[in-house]
Amino acid sequence: MAGAASQTGDAYSSLASGPTSNLLGGHGDMSLFSTLQPQLLKGLPQESSEWRRSYSRAPKTVYLEASYVPYDEDILPKETDKTLVSRPYFHIFWTCCDLESYKQTVREELAEWTNALKNQNIPDWLIVVVIMDESKVKSKLLPRSSVIDKVRSDFCSKTSDRCIVLSEPLKQDSKSQESWSAFFQRLRSLLLQAFNRHMVKFEENMRTLRENRNDPQWNFTNFFLVQEELAFMFEMLGLYEDALIQYDELDALFTQFVVAHAAGSIIGWLTRFTTEKTNWAGLSLHKSINQDKRNTIKDKKSTLIDLRNYLFSRQCALLFLMDKHLEVAKRAMDFLHNTVQEVGYLQIDWPPGAVDCWVFLSGLEVLQKCDSFTEASQTKSYSLHTASLWDCIRKKLFAVGKLCGLLPESQTSSEQLQLVLELTAGMGIEEDLDDEKPSSVQRPRAKLREALSSKDSFQKIYLELSELAMGTYKHISRFRSARLIGKDLAEFYMSQGNPQKAENFLLDSMKSYHQEGWYQLADAVTLELAECQKLLPNKLKYPLFILSAQVVSSSTLQKASRMKYLDNLMDVSKSVTDSSYTLKTFPMITVDSLSIQEKTILVEQDIVIDIEITCNIPTEVDCDKISLSLKKSLPDIREKQGKRLLSKTDSGGIMKEQVPNFTPIKSRTPNMIEVKSHIEGSPSKPSACSIVCVNTQDVLHRSDSVKSQKRDSLQLKEESSYTLSTPNITLKPGSCSFTISSKMLKPGTYIPNQLCIKIGGLDFIKTLVTDQYFQVSVQDPYCTVKPVKGDKMIAGITQEAILTLNPGSFILEPDDELTLITSSGFKVTTDSGDNKLRVAERVKNGTTEFCVRMFQERSNTIVVEGKLTIECCRFQLPLRTVVPFASPLLLQHKIHTAGTRKYIQIYVEGNTESEFALTDADLVIDNSDVEVTSLNRPNRNMCVNEIQTLSYIWQIKCNTIDISNITGCFTAMYQNQEDLEDTKHKLSYNFDVNNFQTLYTVKVSVTPLSDTKVCKVGSLAIMDFSVVQITNNTDLPQSLVYEIDGSTTMWAVSGKSTGNITLKNGRCDVKMNVMPLQAGYIHVPRITLYKQMQDVWQRQDSKEAPSQPSTDSNDEVFKPEEEVQKAEDEVSNASEDSLTRKQSSREEFFRGQVYYASSAMQVNVYPENKESDIEIELEVEILE
């Protein structure tokens, strides 16, 4: 708030361009005030003040500014003045004088000033005493004799806050700054008190006026000016939101009166708003206050449009001050709609199109003004409110153009030209914009006048606004509204005779209606689109076929229209028989189900497929052929549960295409993404591997594109080498079913791929997505072999067998020759004496039998497999099979020791129920220094089967001690009753025996310690065991390891159960204390000898857990030779302190090298108490 002061008196400021500041009256030393005025104007608004409002309303923070005017008694406001803006709120008296001057002139002037204020009942004043040089004042004046003291005693005895001292204001020291700060603080406080007092009185007066609004003499214009003055006051204080509330209340109050008038209430002052019939000037937002409009309202000459334009312009000005330009765009539609409604309520007689012109001018004014405030970052939020505005002014321009005959198909008449002149005159003239920068944007009046000037200008501006509206809607993703505009544009282009541009808009509208469920609207647009297609140059283009099919299948269109397009479609199909056009079956034909009767068939068998379809046609149609193409697939097809339908059908309508760049109401996201593996190159050495999505058409959607729309309409017919077809089928309206069958000649797994219904030159294609499939397999030939006698084939004898051959999918003709090829040791003989078989009769889907003889050499295994290959010219590959033979005799050998004597036992076990007789058993050793003595009965026949075994035994004697390994061969002759060759066969069994010579003998004896010379339970006894070397071989190991295998239930050993012994002169005797734990005849403890290996060493600081147990452990772990060698190397390189010895490793002797002479020895142990029970174990064998 700024102002000036002079010596002429108070004066009101005028409202020229709006309220700017509060008025302060100045009096006294005006030259002094002129000196201090710059600092005063600058310092007052520097700090904020808290304005505590009445009626418990929330406090506000304001910045005060003031305009200073000189004092004049004639213009002091009276008590009855109700003004708020153009009155001085506060009065200040300035003085800077000495005591003499005060007494002579200033005192009298002050008295006149205060008396004048009291006469007008003005309590808001302040006396400022300025001291230029405070040091002089203090040195000359006595206490309580200064000017300030005199002023306070003369005028401010009861109101001390009304007098203040401003010390040395022209200096820049801290004391001067403190004085200024105190002055500004006092001035702000007093100014707010004055302002609040006037505000309360003004609001009470305004409230009284509002309460009297039902008085017949009440006038809205007077009340409007009063409340607007309050809004001006809030605006001066920077409280724009409170000022906006005042205008909103006026807006609501006026609307309430208009609605009441429309309801039948008589409101006298409203009648003058209905008299103006020649002015529909649009809204203007280029000035904060349109003074001309305000004066018109003040003079009570305004029309409804003038009042509404001025009121909304003031609201917009305040919103712009609050930087809420988006709110302006948001309020604009409500403003336009409400004003149009009020024009209708008041029944203002305007010429046709005048309201549309006003809406166009006002809406475009708001858009242009908001564009100047909008930043790039706010475009989207701004477009949310302006999109409907662009669409609204587009519609209004079209309505005006239709009235004035400016549409392409219209011819302008003289009456329409007269209407154009009348509408142009009512728009008014452009306002003076000298205060603004020149702009290249065409003003609304000029734009509308240009549009009404000619058809070309109208079409240009209409298309421009339509594009802006569509683009804005798309920017905020309101594609439905954008397509509605496109529908209007399509009609406009059709009226222009430009079907090429109308086609795409009609297609988008049709898809949009269908996806939102407006099927009847979609079908109506389809008819328009079909008519548009007829106007295009190429009548045989795909879209015309598609639209014809859609019209034919519509359930909402009349039958006559459907029949018309069906006849056209049939005529076209007959005229293009020399070529083929592929279309989708939907919506004319929908596939309901497809079922395969047999999922697995053989080559040369018929596959039968049942298909059910629904025909959405008005009458019967004859089709030339219905074919079903098959796609060969991989054999590992997974059956998908619950996926039965081949196509999704809607409850109505004719379209099922996806609308590009359109967000549907319901999401169509698939339940799963189907993927499969894809390998480039061979599976063993692939060059690339990837994952391919199978249902891309359901997952991926294209954006808005004209090319994609046309491409979606096409249906490609896939080439297939597997096709089933049936000719001459008549399709009837409703459900139809038919069966397709064909003979399958090639094996594989097949999936129904495409259904093709051919009508003349049109192929209706449906790509099937189904889980149905079938397999055509080639059954490989196979054969079985069974013996004529017995339950299984036996190796080693010749048997008669039945060979059963199943050719599978192949057919054997009479005299076909089969060649039998066998593996080594396996022989097959036919009746002709060779390996050839001849087929006697034709074999298809059956078996044939041949009688053959088979012989397989025996081996010492349970089952012997003979490989048989059958070659035939009918088979693609030779038939290979395996014939299992049971080995009738299984042999094994064992070596037994009795001191230094050695015995070899041959054990023969039967493996079949059939009995085999063995004779002439013999054993031959390949070493001449070994004598073999048979212990068997000579010339005796022995029989063997699966429940009867036999054994042969021979004693062997080595003449030298150097023999360690021998090789033997057991032979015998065997014979079987089932053998077709009644001869004896030779049985042979080769074996090796290693390290069998006896090296040591171990004897154990137990003697009691007591004098009774009997062993008792719980009494110590002495166990003596001796180890004796049998041979004189000095290379034998002398250091051995023994282990006592004493059962804890029979013997308790005192001391270590494992230890090392060293033979001296080929012998070692060891004594140990043992204790029997049970009475009776019990075996002596068993002692086992082991070879002692080299010691293994490890470091003491090793953190590795020991791998060998302690020396008193019953279990031993063997160390590999390389680990032993590594340990020896470590021992050689380390000191004794850093190494520790582990348990010596050991190695078992071969069977027969150690003879344990006391294995069967028992000791009679008496119980400790004779009356105690003795536990005796008896083994009884019952012989039958």
Side-chain angles (χ1 to χ4, degrees):
M1 288 176 277
S6 65
Q7 298 181 1
T8 59
D10 288 6
Y12 289 105
S13 64
S14 63
L15 288 171
S17 59
T20 58
S21 60
N22 297 307
L23 296 179
L24 300 183
H27 192 50
D29 191 349
M30 291 297 101
S31 60
L32 173 65
F33 173 74
S34 300
T35 305
L36 301 178
Q37 183 180 3
Q39 289 181 282
L40 187 63
L41 295 177
K42 181 180 178 181
L44 183 60
Q46 288 294 324
E47 296 181 6
S48 62
S49 301
E50 187 179 28
W51 177 28
R52 297 187 178 274
R53 308 178 64 183
S54 57
Y55 301 108
S56 301
R57 286 177 286 190
K60 298 287 186 178
T61 301
V62 296
Y63 289 87
L64 297 177
E65 295 182 3
S67 296
Y68 297 93
V69 295
Y71 170 76
D72 188 353
E73 185 177 356
D74 296 334
I75 61 173
L76 288 177
K78 305 294 190 294
E79 183 69 21
T80 58
D81 288 346
K82 305 299 182 182
T83 58
L84 191 62
V85 176
S86 58
R87 65 180 298 165
Y89 287 94
F90 199 74
H91 302 266
I92 304 177
F93 190 93
W94 301 86
T95 181
C96 178
C97 60
D98 54 13
L99 191 58
E100 292 298 329
S101 299
Y102 172 76
K103 292 179 180 180
Q104 293 178 3
T105 58
V106 176
R107 180 175 181 178
E108 183 179 356
E109 190 176 359
L110 263 174
E112 293 179 1
W113 181 71
T114 55
N115 289 333
L117 295 178
K118 290 178 181 180
N119 292 335
Q120 299 299 333
N121 197 16
I122 300 176
D124 304 315
W125 50 270
L126 177 66
I127 301 174
V128 181
V129 179
V130 181
I131 301 176
M132 290 300 182
D133 192 353
E134 190 173 357
S135 59
K136 296 181 179 180
V137 175
K138 289 183 179 181
S139 61
K140 294 181 179 180
L141 298 179
L142 297 175
R144 298 187 180 272
S145 61
S146 62
V147 175
I148 187 63
D149 294 332
K150 294 296 183 180
V151 172
R152 286 175 179 172
S153 63
D154 294 339
F155 301 98
C156 305
S157 59
K158 296 181 180 180
T159 54
S160 59
D161 59 335
R162 298 295 176 171
C163 183
I164 190 171
V165 178
L166 187 60
S167 301
E168 300 177 346
L170 299 179
K171 293 185 177 181
Q172 300 298 326
D173 55 1
S174 59
K175 189 173 182 179
S176 176
Q177 295 298 327
E178 292 177 1
S179 179
W180 273 111
S181 178
F183 170 73
F184 285 135
Q185 186 175 2
R186 178 78 59 84
L187 180 59
R188 294 188 189 104
S189 177
L190 296 176
L191 187 57
L192 285 176
Q193 290 178 13
F195 176 74
N196 192 58
R197 186 173 64 86
H198 290 287
M199 183 73 74
V200 170
K201 291 181 180 181
F202 189 85
E203 288 180 339
E204 290 177 356
N205 177 54
M206 187 179 70
R207 195 176 299 110
T208 302
L209 287 176
R210 185 186 296 113
E211 292 173 355
N212 296 331
R213 63 183 178 273
N214 294 325
D215 191 343
Q217 303 300 325
W218 192 85
N219 192 287
F220 176 78
T221 303
N222 298 333
F223 179 76
F224 177 85
L225 295 174
V226 171
Q227 190 160 1
E228 186 184 28
E229 192 170 357
L230 179 61
F232 285 157
M233 200 66 221
F234 283 127
E235 185 178 356
M236 285 191 295
L237 294 174
L239 303 178
Y240 305 124
E241 188 172 354
D242 293 79
L244 181 62
I245 291 174
Q246 308 307 315
Y247 285 108
D248 291 343
E249 290 178 357
L250 289 171
D251 188 356
L253 182 60
F254 185 79
T255 302
Q256 182 181 359
F257 279 117
V258 174
V259 173
H261 176 77
S265 300
I266 299 176
I267 303 175
W269 56 267
L270 259 179
T271 57
R272 68 179 179 83
F273 288 100
T274 63
T275 57
E276 180 64 38
K277 301 179 181 180
T278 60
N279 181 19
W280 40 87
L283 176 69
S284 177
L285 299 179
H286 291 275
K287 293 181 180 180
S288 177
I289 297 178
N290 192 327
Q291 197 63 35
D292 296 335
K293 297 291 184 183
R294 189 174 187 277
N295 292 335
T296 304
I297 296 173
K298 186 175 181 181
D299 296 338
K300 299 180 182 180
K301 297 179 181 179
S302 61
T303 63
L304 174 67
I305 294 299
D306 292 336
L307 178 63
R308 277 300 180 187
N309 286 345
Y310 176 77
L311 184 57
F312 187 72
S313 67
R314 288 295 299 141
Q315 291 173 324
C316 294
L318 293 172
L319 289 172
F320 287 139
L321 289 174
M322 291 187 290
D323 197 20
K324 292 185 178 180
H325 52 279
L326 298 182
E327 184 72 17
V328 174
K330 184 178 180 181
R331 289 188 177 206
M333 278 304 297
D334 294 336
F335 161 67
L336 297 176
H337 176 73
N338 293 338
T339 304
V340 172
Q341 291 293 103
E342 290 174 358
V343 170
Y345 290 156
L346 297 179
Q347 299 178 357
I348 301 177
D349 188 15
W350 279 353
V355 175
D356 297 331
C357 288
W358 176 83
V359 173
F360 178 87
L361 296 173
S362 301
L364 190 56
E365 177 73 12
V366 172
L367 290 170
Q368 291 182 354
K369 189 66 175 179
C370 291
D371 283 341
S372 62
F373 285 91
T374 304
E375 299 178 357
S377 60
Q378 298 176 329
T379 303
K380 186 170 184 179
S381 57
Y382 167 71
S383 300
L384 290 172
H385 307 299
T386 58
S388 56
L389 268 178
W390 285 114
D391 190 25
C392 178
I393 64 174
R394 175 193 68 85
K395 292 179 179 178
K396 297 304 178 183
L397 179 62
F398 184 84
V400 174
K402 186 176 182 181
L403 289 173
C404 297
L406 298 176
L407 297 183
E409 75 278 6
S410 302
Q411 295 296 329
T412 307
S413 62
S414 59
E415 290 81 4
Q416 290 173 333
L417 290 175
Q418 184 64 30
L419 179 60
V420 171
L421 296 176
E422 188 177 358
L423 293 177
T424 306
M427 297 177 194
I429 60 174
E430 295 287 354
E431 297 178 358
D432 188 10
L433 302 180
D434 294 338
D435 57 334
E436 291 190 0
K437 296 180 180 179
S439 175
S440 60
V441 179
Q442 194 176 17
R443 298 295 304 280
R445 286 184 180 86
K447 199 175 194 70
L448 183 54
R449 287 192 176 99
E450 180 185 355
L452 299 180
S453 62
S454 64
K455 284 188 176 182
D456 294 338
S457 300
F458 172 80
Q459 294 175 11
K460 173 186 175 183
I461 295 177
Y462 175 72
L463 294 176
E464 176 187 348
L465 295 178
S466 299
E467 291 295 333
L468 285 173
M470 285 185 64
T472 308
Y473 275 131
K474 289 181 179 180
H475 185 70
I476 60 176
S477 302
R478 288 181 57 181
F479 300 106
R480 177 194 304 165
S481 300
R483 287 186 175 87
L484 291 176
I485 299 176
K487 174 66 167 52
D488 295 340
L489 284 177
E491 295 178 356
F492 188 82
Y493 283 127
M494 288 295 293
S495 64
Q496 274 188 329
N498 193 354
Q500 291 86 354
K501 294 183 179 180
E503 178 187 8
N504 296 319
F505 292 116
L506 289 174
L507 182 61
D508 283 348
S509 298
M510 179 179 61
K511 294 179 180 180
S512 178
Y513 285 141
H514 178 77
Q515 287 200 356
E516 295 177 14
W518 302 96
Y519 301 115
Q520 191 169 359
L521 294 176
D523 295 348
V525 176
T526 304
L527 282 176
E528 297 180 21
L529 185 57
E531 295 297 330
C532 176
Q533 293 287 347
K534 289 182 179 180
L535 299 176
L536 295 176
N538 184 11
K539 295 184 178 180
L540 297 180
K541 62 185 302 185
Y542 276 101
L544 180 58
F545 299 153
I546 296 169
L547 292 175
S548 299
Q550 291 167 1
V551 173
V552 168
S553 59
S554 173
S555 60
T556 60
L557 295 177
Q558 296 181 357
K559 186 175 181 180
S561 300
R562 298 175 64 190
M563 289 295 299
K564 173 185 175 183
Y565 278 89
L566 180 59
D567 294 339
N568 293 338
L569 192 61
M570 293 299 102
D571 293 341
V572 171
S573 66
K574 294 176 182 179
S575 63
V576 293
T577 54
D578 55 339
S579 59
S580 179
Y581 292 88
T582 57
L583 304 173
K584 289 184 178 180
T585 58
F586 185 87
M588 190 172 172
I589 300 171
T590 58
V591 182
D592 298 329
S593 65
L594 181 147
S595 61
I596 302 173
Q597 294 185 2
E598 295 184 9
K599 292 294 184 70
T600 303
I601 62 172
L602 299 177
V603 175
E604 299 290 339
Q605 289 185 351
D606 291 339
I607 183 66
V608 180
I609 300 177
D610 297 327
I611 301 177
E612 294 182 3
I613 64 175
T614 299
C615 300
N616 301 316
I617 52 180
T619 186
E620 295 182 357
V621 173
D622 295 329
C623 64
D624 302 333
K625 181 177 64 174
I626 297 180
S627 59
L628 176 66
S629 65
L630 304 177
K631 180 172 61 175
K632 201 169 184 179
S633 180
L634 297 177
D636 56 343
I637 297 180
R638 301 171 298 169
E639 294 198 14
K640 304 170 187 175
Q641 301 295 332
K643 188 175 180 181
R644 176 180 173 85
L645 292 179
L646 301 175
S647 63
K648 299 179 182 178
T649 58
D650 295 324
S651 58
I654 60 178
M655 273 297 298
K656 195 193 171 181
E657 301 293 333
Q658 176 192 356
V659 179
N661 200 17
F662 178 77
T663 304
I665 298 175
K666 295 182 179 180
S667 176
R668 291 195 172 190
T669 304
N671 295 329
M672 64 178 64
I673 299 177
E674 301 178 14
V675 296
K676 67 177 182 180
S677 61
H678 176 70
I679 300 176
E680 296 181 4
S682 63
S684 59
K685 294 182 179 180
S687 59
C689 300
S690 62
I691 296 177
V692 180
C693 179
V694 178
N695 58 338
T696 53
Q697 70 277 3
D698 298 329
V699 179
L700 302 178
H701 302 282
R702 294 261 334 229
S703 59
D704 207 354
S705 173
V706 174
K707 294 183 179 180
S708 64
Q709 296 173 5
K710 294 185 178 181
R711 191 182 301 114
D712 292 341
S713 302
L714 302 181
Q715 177 65 56
L716 299 179
K717 185 176 181 181
E718 299 180 6
E719 296 294 334
S720 176
S721 57
Y722 312 97
T723 304
L724 313 179
S725 63
T726 179
N728 301 326
I729 298 294
T730 299
L731 301 180
K732 299 180 180 180
S735 299
C736 297
S737 61
F738 53 89
T739 301
I740 299 180
S741 62
S742 180
K743 181 179 293 185
M744 301 302 298
L745 302 178
K746 294 184 179 181
T749 301
Y750 296 90
I751 300 175
N753 184 30
Q754 280 189 341
L755 179 68
C756 176
I757 301 176
K758 186 174 184 61
I759 303 176
L762 300 181
D763 291 341
F764 292 89
I765 303 297
K766 170 62 182 177
T767 301
L768 305 177
V769 181
T770 177
D771 61 341
Q772 298 289 325
Y773 69 96
F774 65 92
Q775 292 180 340
V776 181
S777 60
V778 176
Q779 184 178 355
D780 295 331
Y782 64 92
C783 68
T784 58
V785 177
K786 291 185 179 180
V788 176
K789 297 180 181 180
D791 58 342
K792 55 185 175 181
M793 301 297 294
I794 301 175
I797 62 174
T798 302
Q799 286 179 282
E800 188 175 11
I802 300 298
L803 189 150
T804 303
L805 176 63
N806 189 328
S809 302
F810 303 98
I811 301 175
L812 297 179
E813 300 293 341
D815 296 334
D816 284 347
E817 186 176 84
L818 306 177
T819 303
L820 306 180
I821 303 174
T822 59
S823 58
S824 176
F826 182 29
K827 182 178 180 181
V828 179
T829 307
T830 64
D831 292 339
S832 60
D834 55 8
N835 63 339
K836 307 290 185 182
L837 294 175
R838 293 188 178 274
V839 180
E841 58 184 7
R842 191 172 188 266
V843 182
K844 179 182 179 182
N845 298 329
T847 59
T848 182
E849 295 182 350
F850 303 93
C851 185
V852 295
R853 292 185 177 185
M854 293 187 175
F855 175 81
Q856 172 65 47
E857 294 181 357
R858 190 203 66 84
S859 67
N860 199 35
T861 58
I862 297 177
V863 177
V864 182
E865 293 183 347
K867 297 181 180 180
L868 175 63
T869 303
I870 302 176
E871 294 182 349
C872 179
C873 60
R874 302 291 180 181
F875 300 160
Q876 292 181 352
L877 296 173
L879 169 61
R880 293 181 174 85
T881 186
V882 175
V883 182
F885 290 87
S887 183
L889 302 174
L890 302 176
L891 289 82
Q892 59 180 344
H893 71 281
K894 286 185 180 180
I895 187 162
H896 300 279
T897 302
T900 58
R901 290 173 294 177
K902 300 294 179 179
Y903 301 90
I904 293 180
Q905 179 188 10
I906 303 299
Y907 181 79
V908 183
E909 180 182 2
N911 191 32
T912 61
E913 293 182 357
S914 180
E915 191 176 79
F916 281 75
L918 272 70
T919 60
D920 302 333
D922 189 21
L923 178 65
V924 178
I925 302 299
D926 63 349
N927 196 326
S928 59
D929 293 332
V930 179
E931 297 179 5
V932 181
T933 304
S934 175
L935 303 180
N936 307 302
R937 292 182 183 183
N939 301 323
R940 183 181 179 183
N941 294 337
M942 307 289 285
C943 294
V944 178
N945 55 33
E946 62 183 4
I947 61 175
Q948 177 66 45
T949 62
L950 64 89
S951 296
Y952 297 95
I953 190 167
W954 285 268
Q955 181 181 358
I956 60 175
K957 181 179 180 181
C958 298
N959 297 328
T960 63
I961 63 174
D962 298 332
I963 299 175
S964 59
N965 303 324
I966 59 175
T967 300
C969 179
F970 169 77
T971 59
M973 304 301 292
Y974 67 89
Q975 191 175 10
N976 185 267
Q977 296 180 356
E978 297 181 3
D979 192 355
L980 296 180
E981 297 179 1
D982 192 14
T983 59
K984 292 184 178 181
H985 299 275
K986 184 177 181 180
L987 173 67
S988 112
Y989 172 67
N990 297 320
F991 61 90
D992 294 327
V993 180
N994 300 321
N995 298 320
F996 65 94
Q997 296 279 19
T998 303
L999 303 179
Y1000 304 97
T1001 300
V1002 178
K1003 295 182 179 180
V1004 182
S1005 62
V1006 178
T1007 58
L1009 287 176
S1010 60
D1011 296 336
T1012 59
K1013 296 185 178 181
V1014 294
C1015 291
K1016 293 183 179 181
V1017 176
S1019 300
L1020 291 176
I1022 297 176
M1023 180 184 69
D1024 295 330
F1025 74 88
S1026 60
V1027 180
V1028 179
Q1029 181 178 335
I1030 300 301
T1031 64
N1032 296 323
N1033 188 357
T1034 58
D1035 295 333
L1036 294 178
Q1038 302 298 308
S1039 296
L1040 304 174
V1041 178
Y1042 70 89
E1043 181 181 23
I1044 302 176
D1045 186 16
S1047 176
T1048 56
T1049 60
M1050 298 177 62
W1051 297 96
V1053 181
S1054 176
K1056 297 180 179 180
S1057 61
T1058 303
N1060 300 332
I1061 59 174
T1062 302
L1063 301 182
K1064 294 182 179 180
N1065 299 324
R1067 183 182 180 87
C1068 179
D1069 296 317
V1070 179
K1071 292 184 178 182
M1072 301 182 68
N1073 292 332
V1074 296
M1075 179 184 293
L1077 301 179
Q1078 65 181 32
Y1081 285 94
I1082 61 177
H1083 289 278
V1084 297
R1086 177 178 176 82
I1087 297 178
T1088 306
L1089 286 184
Y1090 299 94
K1091 298 178 184 179
Q1092 182 178 359
M1093 304 301 293
Q1094 295 183 0
D1095 295 337
V1096 178
W1097 297 79
Q1098 72 175 10
R1099 296 183 181 274
Q1100 292 181 353
D1101 56 354
S1102 175
K1103 295 182 180 180
E1104 183 181 358
S1107 60
Q1108 292 287 353
S1110 60
T1111 55
D1112 58 351
S1113 172
N1114 293 327
D1115 298 329
E1116 296 291 337
V1117 180
F1118 297 101
K1119 275 290 185 179
E1121 295 182 0
E1122 56 270 14
E1123 293 187 12
V1124 174
Q1125 184 63 35
K1126 182 178 179 180
E1128 290 180 353
D1129 296 340
E1130 291 180 356
V1131 170
S1132 62
N1133 296 328
S1135 62
E1136 294 182 357
D1137 296 337
S1138 62
L1139 299 176
T1140 177
R1141 180 180 178 183
K1142 299 181 66 174
Q1143 173 66 30
S1144 300
S1145 59
R1146 61 192 184 182
E1147 181 182 358
E1148 293 183 355
F1149 285 99
F1150 288 95
R1151 181 180 177 87
Q1153 286 187 325
V1154 179
Y1155 175 63
Y1156 298 97
S1158 305
S1159 297
M1161 182 181 294
Q1162 292 181 330
V1163 178
N1164 186 9
V1165 179
Y1166 292 86
E1168 186 178 1
N1169 187 0
K1170 294 182 179 181
E1171 296 180 357
S1172 62
D1173 296 334
I1174 300 176
E1175 182 180 352
I1176 301 177
E1177 296 181 2
L1178 298 178
E1179 294 183 1
V1180 180
E1181 183 178 359
I1182 301 175
L1183 301 177
E1184 296 182 359

